[in-house]
Amino acid sequence: MKGECLCGAVMFEIEGELPNLYQCHCSLCRKATGSNANAATFVEGKCFHWISGQSNICSFQKPTGYRSDFCSGCGSPVPNRLRDTDLIWVPAGLLDEMAVAQVAVHLHFSSSALWAQESNSCVRLAGGPDSLESLKQALQRE
């Protein structure tokens, strides 16, 4: 399985089967992704290989140890080694093809963003909106 950042500069591959995914809903992961959760998995170091772009990777680390690696060109989060282990953290959104992996665990669910809670009344589109105007209409509160 291969993966890459948004601009394609950072590329990697994973050998073997992909473990199931987790989603972390903590405030740090929400801020790092700009989304309601961080979807990722961990793979053993021996199964992970860089193809290109390691020189494009920048890192940010909080004093607590929380680390975020990202592509300097496009800002996409990219894989990084989990502290002093042999595990590589892999953001699920970078993978070109999702095999049979599924979200198996939700972490820090109690600190989920209120706006991320499922709503049966929200508009669901199979693709993008037909126009900016149709998106604006869908976002209007009733």
Side-chain angles (χ1 to χ4, degrees):
M1 180 173 301
K2 293 186 179 185
E4 64 183 22
C5 66
L6 184 60
C7 70
V10 178
M11 300 175 75
F12 60 91
E13 63 184 355
I14 298 170
E15 293 178 20
E17 290 192 30
L18 185 69
N20 282 328
L21 308 175
Y22 74 87
Q23 283 189 312
C24 183
H25 299 264
C26 79
S27 62
L28 296 174
C29 286
R30 288 197 317 267
K31 289 179 180 186
T33 63
S35 185
N36 68 323
N38 176 355
T41 193
F42 294 102
V43 298
E44 292 185 35
K46 66 182 180 185
C47 298
F48 181 88
H49 308 284
W50 291 108
I51 297 173
S52 65
Q54 284 182 275
S55 63
N56 289 54
I57 297 174
C58 293
S59 295
F60 169 78
Q61 188 164 352
K62 292 184 74 66
T64 60
Y66 180 91
R67 178 176 166 180
S68 176
D69 286 12
F70 53 95
C71 173
S72 62
C74 64
S76 293
V78 297
N80 66 66
R81 186 167 303 278
L82 179 63
R83 298 187 181 170
D84 295 328
T85 71
D86 188 41
L87 296 174
I88 306 295
W89 174 80
V90 180
L94 300 184
L95 299 169
D96 292 335
E97 55 187 70
M98 287 302 293
V100 293
Q102 59 184 344
V103 174
V105 179
H106 286 272
L107 303 173
H108 299 284
F109 200 69
S110 63
S111 63
S112 296
L114 293 177
W115 52 264
Q117 295 176 2
E118 184 62 31
S119 171
N120 290 330
S121 64
C122 73
V123 175
R124 288 173 170 73
L125 303 173
D130 295 335
S131 67
L132 181 57
E133 189 58 36
S134 65
L135 177 59
K136 286 171 47 179
Q137 289 174 0
L139 293 173
Q140 294 297 315
R141 293 183 181 193
E142 295 183 22

